[in-house]
Amino acid sequence: MSSATSINVVVSADGSKAVLPLLAAENAGGVSTDMDLVLAALRVDNVVAHIDKDAIASAIERATVTQQAVTDVVAAIARLEHEFRFFNYENGIDTRKLTEEIKNARMVYRLLSGDPEAEPTPACWCETGKLLYEVLHADAENIFGQRITKKALPFGLGVGKNVVNDKTPTGFRYISDSPGFLTLDDSDIMHLVSPFVVSEDKMLIWLRLVPLKDKAMVDAVAKEVSRLYALVVLPQCQEMSLEEVLARTQEFYNSDEDFLELVVARGRDVVPGEPGRIEYLVNLNGRPLDIDAQQVDYGDYTRYCMVQQGQGLVEIIRPVQGEAGVDVVGNVIECEVLEEPVMEVAECVDVDESGGRKLLRSTMDGCVFFEKNSVRVTDTVIISGNVGPETGSIKKGASSVVVKGNILSGYAVESENSVIIEGSVENGGRVNCRQLVVHKGVFGKKSNVYVTGNAEIGYIHGAVVRVLGNLMVYRYVMESEVTCRGQLIVQGQGASGKERGAVIGGNISVLGSVFLHSVGSGSEPTRVCCGVDAYLYNKLLVCRNIISGLNTEVVRMQRSVGFDLSSPDAVKRLKNMSVEQREVITSKLAQIKKMLVQIDQYQQQIKKVEDKALAHNMANLRLQVERHVIPRTTLAIGLAEIDITTRFSGISARLKENEVVIDPL
């Protein structure tokens, strides 16, 4: 070549390539071809960028050495498209196969992620250092130096778990960083998934296997399973031994199974403790006692619990602490530390921790109250309202009971000492105590009052009252059954507040003296007796009547035998009887014996009652009426009595020679 213009440069229409031929120097008339001439020829055709000087120099050298022409020398080239490859496609990418490969890789990801709806599909197993994906950068201009627009890649992949991005000047490569199944997630992020999967809560390790495209990789998978088992499975969490896991792995790959999932390790869960609790040893529910299937006795319902000294009220059950767990990576899972329940000890309560138990005991007889995690015992119960459905009955145990309201029908108040009722005892109410004060009154045929000491009551109307001490009635007693073993004083007016008998109708029996404001009513009979406890005297009469009846029956039975059992020949006569006759006689004798025992028991009761039923100082007793005595009234002292047929005013009755004598006041 003698000049640059003699070099024939062939330039592609898209500006991607410039090709030229080169001749040996001697064939060109001895004029040598050098780099400057070639570059000058390229400039003539406006080729100024992406010139491959190395290729040109190599061609000049070959032409000089061989003395032959070198054709189709690529002097300049610009890559106008991306060049890339995907795993196992070393010689370019078939679009159809690539699409299928990506679909399979996504399905494998779903399988190994535990998606139950994923379709089984073979997977690729990759060892460490495997080239998975490569992209070469395209130039940004052609050989004329003109900027061009790059064509988009068919797809792009991101870097995920166990995949590293190896960047180079000419592009980038994705390389496997650890053995695993090649997968793509739904965002086209490339992952190498280990066959061992740890659950989110780190309490399970699964072995998940999918079929392989290349059966030659089975040994590689088994090797990785062995390595991971030794690395991550803690001895205390083993669910399967390594031998069992490997055997199951080999069995899977020798079969047509679509998917394998095994739990190879399991964490130890926390063993929860048993919380402490407060166990109440007294009845706080106040449940009614079941009488039968149809009835319930609500009179036994109570919200107030009476206790005795030394009685256990509460047991504090201490908590049992749980055991810590451990997850499959060895982290200790702490269990909750349980605290002992708190029950504060207030007045009259002691803590007893003997015998391994923690008991709260009462130090006195009284009523127990539980308030705001505390317990106390008091000998006084104060009811701010009525004794009824809201409170229930008040049972024995408290020293004193104060009721600000009434005792409603069907409910009771019991006390070891005093009861103060600022209202009334309504029909069906019950009171049992040592001392009683009722500001208003007791009324109703079903009401019942029993007082072992003294009582003060506003009025008594149609009720049953028994007082073993003295009884003071401030207003009146009407149509009631009253027995009193002490002294009775009725000092008030009549029921309507007018001048009429303060004792009107009914039956009054007092062992001591009686002092009345007035007594009697023209419309109904009234009986007042002193020196007699009618309650015990009636029991005495009942016992005597029963004994009389039993004696009559004994005589009748003896006569039915047919001969005198006390006679000398009674035994001989019995021996001469038939078996049936002797059995009849024996049965009658057993009945007679039973009745004799009953007679003896009633006689014992008579001895106990007889001495208490009548006063011992009848002559000293007084039955005094301050104002008027109305006819149809019977006054009695002891067993002697007198019927009043004439109206009197201000009298005093006494017993003289077994007769009732009336003296004016």
Side-chain angles (χ1 to χ4, degrees):
M1 302 178 189
S2 59
S3 68
T5 58
S6 64
I7 300 177
N8 185 21
V9 178
V10 180
V11 179
S12 63
D14 61 3
S16 62
K17 184 185 296 186
V19 181
L20 53 81
L22 294 179
L23 301 175
E26 61 183 34
N27 294 330
V31 179
S32 62
T33 300
D34 58 20
M35 180 66 69
D36 292 337
L37 291 174
V38 174
L39 294 177
L42 292 172
R43 283 195 296 273
V44 171
D45 290 305
N46 298 319
V47 178
V48 296
H50 305 292
I51 297 174
D52 192 348
K53 292 183 178 180
D54 291 339
I56 296 172
S58 176
I60 293 174
E61 183 180 359
R62 279 184 287 137
T64 303
V65 172
T66 62
Q67 294 295 305
Q68 296 180 359
V70 179
T71 61
D72 297 330
V73 177
V74 180
I77 185 170
R79 294 189 178 98
L80 300 181
E81 295 181 356
H82 295 280
E83 293 184 3
F84 63 99
R85 56 184 174 179
F86 188 58
F87 176 63
N88 282 347
Y89 292 97
E90 299 288 350
N91 298 317
I93 296 176
D94 183 317
T95 302
R96 183 183 61 81
K97 290 184 177 180
L98 177 62
T99 302
E100 186 67 25
E101 186 76 15
I102 289 175
K103 177 182 177 182
N104 288 349
R106 288 173 177 165
M107 199 59 65
V108 172
Y109 181 84
R110 294 174 185 170
L111 276 171
L112 296 176
S113 299
D115 184 355
E117 298 181 359
E119 298 178 4
T121 184
C124 294
W125 177 266
C126 300
E127 292 294 297
T128 303
K130 181 69 176 179
L131 177 63
L132 307 176
Y133 178 53
E134 182 177 28
V135 174
L136 299 176
H137 295 308
D139 292 320
E141 60 184 9
N142 60 19
I143 60 176
F144 304 131
Q146 297 170 333
R147 300 294 296 179
I148 60 175
T149 301
K150 293 189 291 183
K151 294 182 179 180
L153 290 170
F155 66 94
L157 303 179
V159 175
K161 187 176 181 181
N162 297 325
V163 178
V164 295
N165 185 358
D166 181 23
K167 295 182 179 180
T168 66
T170 60
F172 59 86
R173 304 186 303 167
Y174 293 172
I175 300 174
S176 62
D177 191 42
S178 177
F181 295 102
L182 179 63
T183 68
L184 292 175
D185 62 20
D186 292 337
S187 300
D188 287 337
I189 305 297
M190 184 180 293
H191 306 274
L192 281 178
V193 178
S194 168
F196 276 32
V197 180
V198 180
S199 63
E200 290 186 7
D201 60 2
K202 298 182 181 179
M203 293 303 291
L204 293 174
I205 297 179
W206 290 293
L207 172 66
R208 289 176 178 164
L209 299 178
V210 293
L212 294 172
K213 292 180 179 179
D214 186 358
K215 294 292 186 181
M217 300 304 294
V218 172
D219 290 342
V221 174
K223 180 180 178 181
E224 179 65 7
V225 168
S226 298
R227 184 185 75 84
L228 291 175
Y229 187 96
L231 183 65
V232 302
V233 177
L234 301 175
Q236 65 268 32
C237 297
Q238 288 182 4
E239 191 79 2
M240 297 177 67
S241 67
L242 177 59
E243 292 74 16
E244 292 173 328
V245 173
L246 291 176
R248 187 68 184 90
T249 300
Q250 195 64 43
E251 179 184 344
F252 170 73
Y253 283 118
N254 289 335
S255 69
D256 295 329
E257 295 180 62
D258 296 327
F259 181 64
L260 175 67
E261 181 178 85
L262 300 175
V263 177
V264 299
R266 188 185 303 274
R268 188 176 70 246
D269 290 325
V270 170
V271 178
E274 183 178 345
R277 66 184 188 278
I278 296 175
E279 186 171 309
Y280 295 95
L281 305 180
V282 294
N283 179 20
L284 298 180
N285 295 327
R287 297 182 182 276
L289 297 177
D290 292 333
I291 298 176
D292 53 40
Q294 303 297 326
Q295 295 180 331
V296 175
D297 183 5
Y298 282 93
D300 284 320
Y301 161 75
T302 180
R303 283 184 56 193
Y304 295 88
C305 182
M306 306 304 172
V307 295
Q308 297 177 341
Q309 182 178 359
Q311 181 176 342
L313 308 176
V314 169
E315 181 174 3
I316 307 297
I317 307 297
R318 296 183 173 94
V320 178
Q321 301 298 336
E323 297 180 8
V326 61
D327 62 22
V328 293
V329 298
N331 296 324
V332 175
I333 306 173
E334 299 293 343
C335 63
E336 180 185 1
V337 178
L338 302 175
E339 301 291 338
E340 182 176 304
V342 176
M343 175 65 76
E344 296 181 2
V345 175
E347 57 184 293
C348 303
V349 178
D350 276 347
V351 180
D352 179 4
E353 298 192 63
S354 61
R357 302 172 68 190
K358 185 174 182 180
L359 296 175
L360 307 185
R361 297 185 182 276
S362 173
T363 60
M364 62 174 290
D365 294 349
C367 181
V368 60
F369 288 92
F370 294 92
E371 298 170 343
K372 297 181 181 179
N373 293 328
S374 67
V375 56
R376 64 185 177 90
V377 176
T378 178
D379 62 349
T380 301
V381 177
I382 299 177
I383 310 299
S384 59
N386 297 330
V387 175
E390 293 184 357
T391 64
S393 296
I394 310 302
K395 299 300 183 179
K396 283 187 177 180
S399 176
S400 300
V401 178
V402 177
V403 180
K404 299 291 186 179
N406 304 322
I407 299 178
L408 302 185
S409 177
Y411 294 90
V413 172
E414 300 176 0
S415 173
E416 300 290 343
N417 197 0
S418 65
V419 171
I420 299 175
I421 302 168
E422 296 185 5
S424 299
V425 179
E426 296 185 0
N427 185 22
R430 303 192 307 273
V431 178
N432 186 331
C433 61
R434 182 177 299 173
Q435 306 289 334
L436 174 65
V437 175
V438 181
H439 289 186
K440 291 185 179 179
V442 180
F443 62 88
K445 292 182 179 180
K446 295 182 180 180
S447 297
N448 190 298
V449 173
Y450 181 80
V451 183
T452 60
N454 299 327
E456 298 178 22
I457 302 174
Y459 64 86
I460 303 173
H461 190 161
V464 177
V465 176
R466 178 164 174 77
V467 179
L468 303 188
N470 297 325
L471 172 60
M472 170 71 78
V473 179
Y474 291 100
R475 293 186 63 195
Y476 63 90
V477 179
M478 177 181 285
E479 300 171 352
S480 300
E481 296 291 328
V482 177
T483 57
C484 174
R485 291 189 60 82
Q487 176 178 277
L488 170 64
I489 299 176
V490 181
Q491 64 179 21
Q493 294 176 336
S496 62
K498 298 180 180 179
E499 285 294 327
R500 53 182 302 200
V503 176
I504 309 159
N507 217 323
I508 308 298
S509 174
V510 181
L511 193 62
S513 295
V514 177
F515 300 91
L516 307 178
H517 173 271
S518 55
V519 62
S521 170
S523 60
E524 58 184 313
T526 304
R527 178 181 174 82
V528 178
C529 176
C530 65
V532 177
D533 185 341
Y535 175 81
L536 295 182
Y537 190 75
N538 289 336
K539 287 183 65 175
L540 184 65
L541 295 179
V542 170
C543 289
R544 287 173 176 172
N545 289 335
I546 292 175
I547 290 174
S548 176
L550 288 173
N551 285 329
T552 301
E553 186 64 18
V554 168
V555 171
R556 189 190 67 79
M557 292 290 292
Q558 288 177 340
R559 289 176 179 175
S560 68
V561 172
F563 59 91
D564 187 0
L565 294 174
S566 62
S567 64
D569 61 343
V571 176
K572 182 178 179 180
R573 294 186 63 176
L574 285 172
K575 289 181 179 179
N576 292 333
M577 290 181 179
S578 64
V579 176
E580 292 78 6
Q581 289 175 327
R582 285 200 299 270
E583 288 179 353
V584 172
I585 297 299
T586 302
S587 175
K588 291 182 177 181
L589 291 176
Q591 294 180 43
I592 292 173
K593 181 178 180 181
K594 182 179 179 181
M595 287 187 285
L596 292 174
V597 171
Q598 291 177 336
I599 291 171
D600 183 64
Q601 291 174 346
Y602 282 111
Q603 287 176 339
Q604 295 297 325
Q605 290 187 32
I606 288 175
K607 288 181 179 180
K608 293 180 180 179
V609 173
E610 195 171 26
D611 189 52
K612 299 178 181 179
L614 299 175
H616 299 289
N617 55 344
M618 294 286 187
N620 297 328
L621 297 179
R622 289 291 182 270
L623 198 166
Q624 182 174 306
V625 181
E626 181 180 352
R627 301 293 293 274
H628 51 264
V629 180
I630 307 298
R632 300 192 68 185
T633 298
T634 300
L635 301 180
I637 299 177
L639 301 180
E641 61 183 41
I642 184 172
D643 292 329
I644 304 300
T645 59
T646 304
R647 183 184 179 101
F648 290 96
S649 179
I651 66 167
S652 176
R654 56 189 175 86
L655 186 64
K656 181 178 180 181
E657 296 179 357
N658 295 325
E659 290 185 359
V660 177
V661 178
I662 297 178
D663 300 320
L665 288 180

